[in-house]
Amino acid sequence: MSLPKVVATLIVLAACALGETCRGQCSLVDWLGNHDERVAANQSYLDTDGPSFTRANSVVPRSMALLETRYFYSSNPSTNSFPQFDLRYGLLERLELRAEWSGVDTGPALLRTNHDLEVGFKYLATKQDGIIPLSAIMLELFTPTGNGPNYIPNVAPEIDYMYGWALNKQWSFECSTGAIFGQPGAPGVTQFYQSGTINRTWLGGRYMTFGEVYSLFGSGTNPGAVQPNIDCGAQWRLGYNLQLDWRVGMGLNDQTAPFFTNGGVSFRY
């Protein structure tokens, strides 16, 4: 069985699990009405996938929905992207369903681009125990729903392994190792990526700052493409279920943007 079919099968199984879990006991009306109970059971700050390149090595608490949305600007060529949403839902204690859409790209020298919608799930694989990291595995499919230069005209799987260690109550180190099997105009190209972040929390977790390095690596028809970047950012948690964030960075070679920044808001319900 091909990789796209494997990922699609896993997504269908997760959707079936959602149906079995909710049947007769968690209609939309019930879910909306149980908001206070869900909030009371999850008195913890958000752990969002953004604003960093490295996604969170955790899942959304069961029966909670988390929406992240951001504005992104990149120079050379000047590009604006919005709304860059990431919708995540805690299906089970260790499993979340998710959908990502980078939104629309606009710029003076850029044709309007609607990005492809990604759908999939993230599974909490291990909890930290000594040298064993807190880790999660994400499987998603790019669906051929966009248009423009960044459109992928076929189903393209993405796999991401996120892992990290809490060094103490304030410091943590997180990494991401992943691949996208297909690129715009080149379905035979696989793009690998590797990242690492160092995080520092302040005031009991209400604020967090981070520094990050990451790079993309092309293969197949473009084996020499390497795109290293460095960035830093901050997250302001205004409560357990609301967060503002910001990031600024720069590319480290002529294949990357010399400047980029993004900021947004995240809300959990």
Side-chain angles (χ1 to χ4, degrees), residues 33-255:
N34 291 334
H35 174 249
D36 291 342
E37 296 178 18
R38 288 183 281 115
V39 170
N42 293 285
Q43 297 294 299
S44 60
Y45 291 115
L46 301 184
D47 192 10
T48 54
D49 280 351
S52 60
F53 178 88
T54 307
R55 295 181 176 97
N57 59 335
S58 61
V59 296
V60 176
R62 183 175 182 178
S63 297
M64 298 291 285
L66 172 60
L67 176 64
E68 307 178 33
T69 182
R70 297 179 177 87
Y71 163 80
F72 178 82
Y73 171 78
S74 177
S75 64
N76 193 27
S78 178
T79 306
N80 301 278
S81 300
F82 184 82
Q84 295 211 330
F85 86 74
D86 188 354
L87 179 61
R88 307 163 56 193
Y89 176 76
L91 175 62
L92 303 172
E93 181 182 356
R94 301 176 73 122
L95 180 69
E96 72 174 38
L97 299 182
R98 48 189 295 115
E100 292 186 65
W101 184 52
S102 293
V104 178
D105 289 350
T106 61
L110 183 71
L111 295 174
R112 176 170 171 164
T113 297
N114 295 322
H115 286 265
D116 298 299
L117 175 68
E118 294 182 71
V119 293
F121 64 88
K122 187 196 294 186
Y123 176 73
L124 186 66
T126 60
K127 297 183 179 181
Q128 184 173 342
D129 184 9
I131 63 173
I132 298 175
L134 176 66
S135 69
I137 298 173
M138 186 203 76
L139 297 175
E140 286 189 341
L141 291 176
F142 283 85
T143 63
T145 52
N147 64 72
N150 293 326
Y151 166 61
I152 301 177
N154 55 278
V155 176
E158 178 179 7
I159 298 177
D160 192 4
Y161 176 58
M162 299 136 284
Y163 50 99
W165 297 263
L167 307 179
N168 53 41
K169 291 184 178 181
Q170 289 79 39
W171 292 91
S172 63
F173 178 63
E174 298 178 10
C175 300
S176 172
T177 303
I180 301 173
F181 299 88
Q183 294 297 305
V189 173
T190 298
Q191 186 178 72
F192 299 94
Y193 52 84
Q194 178 63 54
S195 67
T197 64
I198 186 74
N199 308 309
R200 171 66 157 90
T201 58
W202 310 81
L203 299 180
R206 184 172 292 272
Y207 300 93
M208 189 180 83
T209 54
F210 67 88
E212 178 181 47
V213 293
Y214 68 91
S215 186
L216 308 178
F217 308 90
S219 70
T221 60
N222 193 13
V226 178
Q227 302 176 54
N229 298 267
I230 186 170
D231 61 54
C232 63
Q235 296 167 236
W236 297 271
R237 287 138 175 177
L238 305 181
Y240 288 129
N241 298 300
L242 181 63
Q243 172 184 291
L244 302 178
D245 53 55
W246 168 81
R247 174 179 70 139
V248 61
M250 60 182 292
L252 301 179
N253 66 9
D254 57 6
Q255 298 187 55

Side-chain angles (χ1 to χ4, degrees), residues 18-32 34 62-63 89 91:
L18 175 61
E20 291 299 324
T21 301
C22 293
R23 186 171 298 166
Q25 60 183 9
C26 64
S27 68
L28 179 60
V29 173
D30 291 337
W31 183 78
L32 293 172
N34 291 334
R62 183 175 182 178
S63 297
Y89 176 76
L91 175 62

